[in-house]
mmCIF file of all heavy atoms in Angstrom:
data_model
loop_
_atom_site.group_PDB
_atom_site.id
_atom_site.type_symbol
_atom_site.label_atom_id
_atom_site.label_comp_id
_atom_site.label_asym_id
_atom_site.label_seq_id
_atom_site.Cartn_x
_atom_site.Cartn_y
_atom_site.Cartn_z
ATOM 1 N N LEU A 1 0.833 -1.204 0.000
ATOM 2 C CA LEU A 1 0.000 0.000 0.000
ATOM 3 C C LEU A 1 0.865 1.251 0.000
ATOM 4 O O LEU A 1 1.789 1.377 0.792
ATOM 5 C CB LEU A 1 -0.930 -0.008 1.212
ATOM 6 C CG LEU A 1 -1.946 -1.152 1.284
ATOM 7 C CD1 LEU A 1 -2.782 -1.040 2.548
ATOM 8 C CD2 LEU A 1 -2.841 -1.158 0.050
ATOM 9 N N ALA A 2 0.537 2.150 -0.904
ATOM 10 C CA ALA A 2 1.283 3.412 -1.026
ATOM 11 C C ALA A 2 0.381 4.423 -1.719
ATOM 12 O O ALA A 2 -0.726 4.098 -2.154
ATOM 13 C CB ALA A 2 2.566 3.194 -1.824
ATOM 14 N N ALA A 3 0.850 5.661 -1.809
ATOM 15 C CA ALA A 3 0.102 6.685 -2.532
ATOM 16 C C ALA A 3 0.238 6.426 -4.033
ATOM 17 O O ALA A 3 1.347 6.361 -4.570
ATOM 18 C CB ALA A 3 0.643 8.072 -2.185
ATOM 19 N N VAL A 4 -0.892 6.251 -4.707
ATOM 20 C CA VAL A 4 -0.898 5.922 -6.140
ATOM 21 C C VAL A 4 -1.704 6.984 -6.885
ATOM 22 O O VAL A 4 -2.844 7.288 -6.522
ATOM 23 C CB VAL A 4 -1.523 4.528 -6.383
ATOM 24 C CG1 VAL A 4 -1.604 4.239 -7.881
ATOM 25 C CG2 VAL A 4 -0.727 3.453 -5.666
ATOM 26 N N ALA A 5 -1.107 7.550 -7.930
ATOM 27 C CA ALA A 5 -1.817 8.514 -8.773
ATOM 28 C C ALA A 5 -2.829 7.765 -9.634
ATOM 29 O O ALA A 5 -2.480 6.825 -10.347
ATOM 30 C CB ALA A 5 -0.828 9.275 -9.644
ATOM 31 N N VAL A 6 -4.087 8.174 -9.569
ATOM 32 C CA VAL A 6 -5.151 7.443 -10.251
ATOM 33 C C VAL A 6 -5.090 7.633 -11.764
ATOM 34 O O VAL A 6 -5.277 6.686 -12.529
ATOM 35 C CB VAL A 6 -6.533 7.889 -9.718
ATOM 36 C CG1 VAL A 6 -7.653 7.201 -10.484
ATOM 37 C CG2 VAL A 6 -6.639 7.592 -8.231
ATOM 38 N N GLY A 7 -4.811 8.851 -12.224
ATOM 39 C CA GLY A 7 -4.845 9.162 -13.652
ATOM 40 C C GLY A 7 -4.015 8.222 -14.516
ATOM 41 O O GLY A 7 -4.520 7.640 -15.485
ATOM 42 N N PRO A 8 -2.715 8.049 -14.222
ATOM 43 C CA PRO A 8 -1.891 7.166 -15.048
ATOM 44 C C PRO A 8 -2.380 5.716 -15.060
ATOM 45 O O PRO A 8 -2.289 5.040 -16.088
ATOM 46 C CB PRO A 8 -0.507 7.273 -14.395
ATOM 47 C CG PRO A 8 -0.515 8.593 -13.708
ATOM 48 C CD PRO A 8 -1.904 8.784 -13.223
ATOM 49 N N VAL A 9 -2.898 5.232 -13.932
ATOM 50 C CA VAL A 9 -3.393 3.845 -13.882
ATOM 51 C C VAL A 9 -4.623 3.697 -14.770
ATOM 52 O O VAL A 9 -4.739 2.726 -15.535
ATOM 53 C CB VAL A 9 -3.729 3.435 -12.433
ATOM 54 C CG1 VAL A 9 -4.223 1.992 -12.389
ATOM 55 C CG2 VAL A 9 -2.525 3.595 -11.529
ATOM 56 N N VAL A 10 -5.536 4.666 -14.698
ATOM 57 C CA VAL A 10 -6.726 4.626 -15.550
ATOM 58 C C VAL A 10 -6.324 4.679 -17.022
ATOM 59 O O VAL A 10 -6.838 3.904 -17.854
ATOM 60 C CB VAL A 10 -7.682 5.783 -15.202
ATOM 61 C CG1 VAL A 10 -8.798 5.895 -16.240
ATOM 62 C CG2 VAL A 10 -8.273 5.593 -13.812
ATOM 63 N N ALA A 11 -5.397 5.572 -17.370
ATOM 64 C CA ALA A 11 -4.968 5.709 -18.765
ATOM 65 C C ALA A 11 -4.352 4.407 -19.278
ATOM 66 O O ALA A 11 -4.609 3.990 -20.420
ATOM 67 C CB ALA A 11 -3.956 6.854 -18.885
ATOM 68 N N GLU A 12 -3.548 3.752 -18.450
ATOM 69 C CA GLU A 12 -2.933 2.487 -18.853
ATOM 70 C C GLU A 12 -3.991 1.418 -19.089
ATOM 71 O O GLU A 12 -3.932 0.665 -20.068
ATOM 72 C CB GLU A 12 -1.951 2.021 -17.782
ATOM 73 C CG GLU A 12 -1.235 0.725 -18.128
ATOM 74 C CD GLU A 12 -0.319 0.258 -17.020
ATOM 75 O OE1 GLU A 12 -0.191 0.954 -15.990
ATOM 76 O OE2 GLU A 12 0.280 -0.833 -17.177
ATOM 77 N N CYS A 13 -4.978 1.318 -18.202
ATOM 78 C CA CYS A 13 -6.032 0.307 -18.349
ATOM 79 C C CYS A 13 -6.874 0.568 -19.598
ATOM 80 O O CYS A 13 -7.284 -0.377 -20.287
ATOM 81 C CB CYS A 13 -6.921 0.289 -17.110
ATOM 82 S SG CYS A 13 -6.081 -0.311 -15.623
ATOM 83 N N VAL A 14 -7.130 1.840 -19.892
ATOM 84 C CA VAL A 14 -7.894 2.181 -21.099
ATOM 85 C C VAL A 14 -7.132 1.751 -22.340
ATOM 86 O O VAL A 14 -7.710 1.214 -23.301
ATOM 87 C CB VAL A 14 -8.213 3.687 -21.130
ATOM 88 C CG1 VAL A 14 -8.769 4.096 -22.493
ATOM 89 C CG2 VAL A 14 -9.202 4.047 -20.033
ATOM 90 N N ARG A 15 -5.824 1.972 -22.363
ATOM 91 C CA ARG A 15 -5.010 1.541 -23.513
ATOM 92 C C ARG A 15 -5.099 0.027 -23.713
ATOM 93 O O ARG A 15 -5.113 -0.467 -24.841
ATOM 94 C CB ARG A 15 -3.548 1.957 -23.328
ATOM 95 C CG ARG A 15 -3.281 3.431 -23.573
ATOM 96 C CD ARG A 15 -1.800 3.712 -23.733
ATOM 97 N NE ARG A 15 -1.033 3.358 -22.541
ATOM 98 C CZ ARG A 15 -0.817 4.165 -21.522
ATOM 99 N NH1 ARG A 15 -1.325 5.398 -21.538
ATOM 100 N NH2 ARG A 15 -0.105 3.775 -20.475
ATOM 101 N N LEU A 16 -5.169 -0.713 -22.606
ATOM 102 C CA LEU A 16 -5.191 -2.171 -22.701
ATOM 103 C C LEU A 16 -6.525 -2.703 -23.242
ATOM 104 O O LEU A 16 -6.571 -3.824 -23.755
ATOM 105 C CB LEU A 16 -4.902 -2.790 -21.323
ATOM 106 C CG LEU A 16 -3.470 -2.612 -20.810
ATOM 107 C CD1 LEU A 16 -3.350 -3.079 -19.367
ATOM 108 C CD2 LEU A 16 -2.489 -3.388 -21.687
ATOM 109 N N VAL A 17 -7.605 -1.928 -23.117
ATOM 110 C CA VAL A 17 -8.891 -2.384 -23.653
ATOM 111 C C VAL A 17 -9.238 -1.692 -24.966
ATOM 112 O O VAL A 17 -10.315 -1.955 -25.527
ATOM 113 C CB VAL A 17 -10.035 -2.164 -22.627
ATOM 114 C CG1 VAL A 17 -9.763 -2.920 -21.349
ATOM 115 C CG2 VAL A 17 -10.266 -0.690 -22.363
ATOM 116 N N ASP A 18 -8.340 -0.835 -25.452
ATOM 117 C CA ASP A 18 -8.610 -0.106 -26.687
ATOM 118 C C ASP A 18 -8.902 -1.042 -27.856
ATOM 119 O O ASP A 18 -9.773 -0.771 -28.687
ATOM 120 C CB ASP A 18 -7.427 0.810 -27.043
ATOM 121 C CG ASP A 18 -7.609 2.206 -26.471
ATOM 122 O OD1 ASP A 18 -8.746 2.517 -26.051
ATOM 123 O OD2 ASP A 18 -6.634 2.968 -26.434
ATOM 124 N N GLY A 19 -8.144 -2.166 -27.932
ATOM 125 C CA GLY A 19 -8.302 -3.077 -29.062
ATOM 126 C C GLY A 19 -9.689 -3.659 -29.150
ATOM 127 O O GLY A 19 -10.373 -3.550 -30.181
ATOM 128 N N ILE A 20 -10.172 -4.260 -28.053
ATOM 129 C CA ILE A 20 -11.499 -4.865 -28.055
ATOM 130 C C ILE A 20 -12.587 -3.800 -28.170
ATOM 131 O O ILE A 20 -13.636 -4.023 -28.794
ATOM 132 C CB ILE A 20 -11.702 -5.742 -26.799
ATOM 133 C CG1 ILE A 20 -13.058 -6.440 -26.845
ATOM 134 C CG2 ILE A 20 -11.585 -4.929 -25.520
ATOM 135 C CD1 ILE A 20 -13.262 -7.436 -25.721
ATOM 136 N N ALA A 21 -12.334 -2.609 -27.604
ATOM 137 C CA ALA A 21 -13.314 -1.519 -27.709
ATOM 138 C C ALA A 21 -13.453 -1.078 -29.163
ATOM 139 O O ALA A 21 -14.574 -0.856 -29.652
ATOM 140 C CB ALA A 21 -12.899 -0.345 -26.828
ATOM 141 N N ALA A 22 -12.330 -0.969 -29.876
ATOM 142 C CA ALA A 22 -12.369 -0.554 -31.284
ATOM 143 C C ALA A 22 -13.104 -1.584 -32.138
ATOM 144 O O ALA A 22 -13.879 -1.219 -33.035
ATOM 145 C CB ALA A 22 -10.947 -0.353 -31.800
ATOM 146 N N ARG A 23 -12.875 -2.876 -31.865
ATOM 147 C CA ARG A 23 -13.541 -3.919 -32.648
ATOM 148 C C ARG A 23 -15.054 -3.879 -32.455
ATOM 149 O O ARG A 23 -15.808 -4.247 -33.355
ATOM 150 C CB ARG A 23 -13.003 -5.301 -32.265
ATOM 151 C CG ARG A 23 -11.602 -5.579 -32.771
ATOM 152 C CD ARG A 23 -11.232 -7.047 -32.671
ATOM 153 N NE ARG A 23 -11.167 -7.528 -31.303
ATOM 154 C CZ ARG A 23 -10.093 -7.448 -30.528
ATOM 155 N NH1 ARG A 23 -8.980 -6.875 -30.997
ATOM 156 N NH2 ARG A 23 -10.089 -7.918 -29.302
ATOM 157 N N ARG A 24 -15.503 -3.422 -31.292
ATOM 158 C CA ARG A 24 -16.945 -3.365 -31.023
ATOM 159 C C ARG A 24 -17.486 -1.929 -31.179
ATOM 160 O O ARG A 24 -18.619 -1.655 -30.815
ATOM 161 C CB ARG A 24 -17.235 -3.876 -29.609
ATOM 162 C CG ARG A 24 -16.677 -5.268 -29.344
ATOM 163 C CD ARG A 24 -17.323 -5.931 -28.152
ATOM 164 N NE ARG A 24 -18.702 -6.287 -28.440
ATOM 165 C CZ ARG A 24 -19.731 -6.045 -27.621
ATOM 166 N NH1 ARG A 24 -19.522 -5.420 -26.463
ATOM 167 N NH2 ARG A 24 -20.950 -6.405 -27.938
ATOM 168 N N GLU A 25 -16.620 -1.042 -31.718
ATOM 169 C CA GLU A 25 -17.012 0.348 -31.998
ATOM 170 C C GLU A 25 -17.517 1.056 -30.742
ATOM 171 O O GLU A 25 -18.505 1.801 -30.758
ATOM 172 C CB GLU A 25 -18.083 0.395 -33.103
ATOM 173 C CG GLU A 25 -17.617 -0.224 -34.411
ATOM 174 C CD GLU A 25 -18.722 -0.243 -35.454
ATOM 175 O OE1 GLU A 25 -19.830 0.262 -35.169
ATOM 176 O OE2 GLU A 25 -18.485 -0.759 -36.560
ATOM 177 N N ILE A 26 -16.844 0.791 -29.640
ATOM 178 C CA ILE A 26 -17.218 1.395 -28.356
ATOM 179 C C ILE A 26 -16.251 2.522 -28.023
ATOM 180 O O ILE A 26 -15.030 2.349 -28.093
ATOM 181 C CB ILE A 26 -17.221 0.332 -27.238
ATOM 182 C CG1 ILE A 26 -18.352 -0.675 -27.480
ATOM 183 C CG2 ILE A 26 -17.366 0.977 -25.865
ATOM 184 C CD1 ILE A 26 -18.336 -1.858 -26.535
ATOM 185 N N ILE A 27 -16.797 3.661 -27.655
ATOM 186 C CA ILE A 27 -15.981 4.817 -27.273
ATOM 187 C C ILE A 27 -15.736 4.774 -25.765
ATOM 188 O O ILE A 27 -16.679 4.666 -24.973
ATOM 189 C CB ILE A 27 -16.680 6.135 -27.658
ATOM 190 C CG1 ILE A 27 -16.852 6.216 -29.182
ATOM 191 C CG2 ILE A 27 -15.893 7.336 -27.132
ATOM 192 C CD1 ILE A 27 -17.681 7.414 -29.624
ATOM 193 N N VAL A 28 -14.475 4.873 -25.362
ATOM 194 C CA VAL A 28 -14.122 4.907 -23.941
ATOM 195 C C VAL A 28 -13.688 6.332 -23.609
ATOM 196 O O VAL A 28 -12.682 6.820 -24.119
ATOM 197 C CB VAL A 28 -13.005 3.907 -23.608
ATOM 198 C CG1 VAL A 28 -12.686 3.965 -22.116
ATOM 199 C CG2 VAL A 28 -13.403 2.492 -24.009
ATOM 200 N N ASP A 29 -14.454 7.000 -22.772
ATOM 201 C CA ASP A 29 -14.199 8.394 -22.420
ATOM 202 C C ASP A 29 -13.722 8.469 -20.971
ATOM 203 O O ASP A 29 -14.317 7.842 -20.081
ATOM 204 C CB ASP A 29 -15.486 9.210 -22.598
ATOM 205 C CG ASP A 29 -15.272 10.678 -22.254
ATOM 206 O OD1 ASP A 29 -14.201 11.210 -22.577
ATOM 207 O OD2 ASP A 29 -16.179 11.269 -21.635
ATOM 208 N N VAL A 30 -12.653 9.225 -20.741
ATOM 209 C CA VAL A 30 -12.105 9.379 -19.394
ATOM 210 C C VAL A 30 -12.191 10.839 -18.986
ATOM 211 O O VAL A 30 -11.634 11.701 -19.668
ATOM 212 C CB VAL A 30 -10.639 8.905 -19.321
ATOM 213 C CG1 VAL A 30 -10.102 9.087 -17.893
ATOM 214 C CG2 VAL A 30 -10.520 7.455 -19.759
ATOM 215 N N HIS A 31 -12.901 11.104 -17.900
ATOM 216 C CA HIS A 31 -12.914 12.461 -17.359
ATOM 217 C C HIS A 31 -11.584 12.693 -16.652
ATOM 218 O O HIS A 31 -11.079 11.816 -15.949
ATOM 219 C CB HIS A 31 -14.074 12.637 -16.376
ATOM 220 C CG HIS A 31 -15.407 12.699 -17.064
ATOM 221 N ND1 HIS A 31 -16.533 13.177 -16.447
ATOM 222 C CD2 HIS A 31 -15.790 12.355 -18.313
ATOM 223 C CE1 HIS A 31 -17.562 13.118 -17.281
ATOM 224 N NE2 HIS A 31 -17.134 12.608 -18.420
ATOM 225 N N ASP A 32 -11.027 13.847 -16.797
ATOM 226 C CA ASP A 32 -9.703 14.146 -16.245
ATOM 227 C C ASP A 32 -9.636 13.842 -14.753
ATOM 228 O O ASP A 32 -10.406 14.396 -13.960
ATOM 229 C CB ASP A 32 -9.374 15.623 -16.496
ATOM 230 C CG ASP A 32 -7.962 15.968 -16.055
ATOM 231 O OD1 ASP A 32 -7.162 15.030 -15.860
ATOM 232 O OD2 ASP A 32 -7.666 17.167 -15.914
ATOM 233 N N ALA A 33 -8.732 12.919 -14.411
ATOM 234 C CA ALA A 33 -8.577 12.558 -13.000
ATOM 235 C C ALA A 33 -7.701 13.548 -12.247
ATOM 236 O O ALA A 33 -7.570 13.469 -11.020
ATOM 237 C CB ALA A 33 -7.983 11.151 -12.895
ATOM 238 N N GLY A 34 -7.090 14.473 -12.963
ATOM 239 C CA GLY A 34 -6.237 15.467 -12.319
ATOM 240 C C GLY A 34 -5.088 14.822 -11.578
ATOM 241 O O GLY A 34 -4.474 13.866 -12.048
ATOM 242 N N SER A 35 -4.791 15.345 -10.398
ATOM 243 C CA SER A 35 -3.675 14.816 -9.601
ATOM 244 C C SER A 35 -4.184 13.976 -8.432
ATOM 245 O O SER A 35 -3.511 13.865 -7.410
ATOM 246 C CB SER A 35 -2.820 15.981 -9.083
ATOM 247 O OG SER A 35 -3.627 16.872 -8.318
ATOM 248 N N THR A 36 -5.361 13.395 -8.577
ATOM 249 C CA THR A 36 -5.964 12.597 -7.499
ATOM 250 C C THR A 36 -5.092 11.389 -7.172
ATOM 251 O O THR A 36 -4.636 10.675 -8.062
ATOM 252 C CB THR A 36 -7.366 12.116 -7.905
ATOM 253 O OG1 THR A 36 -8.150 13.249 -8.290
ATOM 254 C CG2 THR A 36 -8.040 11.395 -6.747
ATOM 255 N N THR A 37 -4.873 11.147 -5.880
ATOM 256 C CA THR A 37 -4.102 9.976 -5.451
ATOM 257 C C THR A 37 -4.904 9.207 -4.406
ATOM 258 O O THR A 37 -5.715 9.782 -3.680
ATOM 259 C CB THR A 37 -2.745 10.377 -4.843
ATOM 260 O OG1 THR A 37 -2.971 11.276 -3.752
ATOM 261 C CG2 THR A 37 -1.846 11.039 -5.875
ATOM 262 N N VAL A 38 -4.660 7.909 -4.366
ATOM 263 C CA VAL A 38 -5.333 7.050 -3.387
ATOM 264 C C VAL A 38 -4.298 6.167 -2.704
ATOM 265 O O VAL A 38 -3.178 5.998 -3.193
ATOM 266 C CB VAL A 38 -6.394 6.150 -4.061
ATOM 267 C CG1 VAL A 38 -7.533 6.977 -4.615
ATOM 268 C CG2 VAL A 38 -5.769 5.275 -5.139
ATOM 269 N N VAL A 39 -4.693 5.613 -1.562
ATOM 270 C CA VAL A 39 -3.855 4.620 -0.887
ATOM 271 C C VAL A 39 -4.239 3.254 -1.449
ATOM 272 O O VAL A 39 -5.368 2.793 -1.276
ATOM 273 C CB VAL A 39 -4.074 4.647 0.638
ATOM 274 C CG1 VAL A 39 -3.242 3.548 1.305
ATOM 275 C CG2 VAL A 39 -3.698 6.009 1.202
ATOM 276 N N ALA A 40 -3.314 2.622 -2.160
ATOM 277 C CA ALA A 40 -3.629 1.356 -2.816
ATOM 278 C C ALA A 40 -2.348 0.626 -3.177
ATOM 279 O O ALA A 40 -1.243 1.175 -3.082
ATOM 280 C CB ALA A 40 -4.474 1.602 -4.071
ATOM 281 N N ASP A 41 -2.514 -0.626 -3.577
ATOM 282 C CA ASP A 41 -1.429 -1.402 -4.173
ATOM 283 C C ASP A 41 -1.522 -1.184 -5.679
ATOM 284 O O ASP A 41 -2.549 -1.471 -6.296
ATOM 285 C CB ASP A 41 -1.598 -2.889 -3.829
ATOM 286 C CG ASP A 41 -0.502 -3.747 -4.434
ATOM 287 O OD1 ASP A 41 -0.488 -3.900 -5.674
ATOM 288 O OD2 ASP A 41 0.328 -4.281 -3.682
#
């Protein structure tokens, strides 16, 4: 457990599902997470 910036983690996960989203013509929209951090692994 440590301070984790949410924005980069969300962006990475979105990139990983981009392929299947594109094949199904699904738009993935991310609202700016700013500098939000959480306590997490």
Side-chain angles (χ1 to χ4, degrees):
L1 298 179
V4 176
V6 176
V9 181
V10 170
E12 181 183 358
C13 292
V14 169
R15 284 195 299 272
L16 291 172
V17 300
D18 268 346
I20 183 174
R23 287 194 295 273
R24 305 198 70 226
E25 301 176 2
I26 293 173
I27 297 173
V28 181
D29 180 38
V30 180
H31 287 197
D32 185 16
S35 57
T36 306
T37 57
V38 294
V39 177
D41 180 290

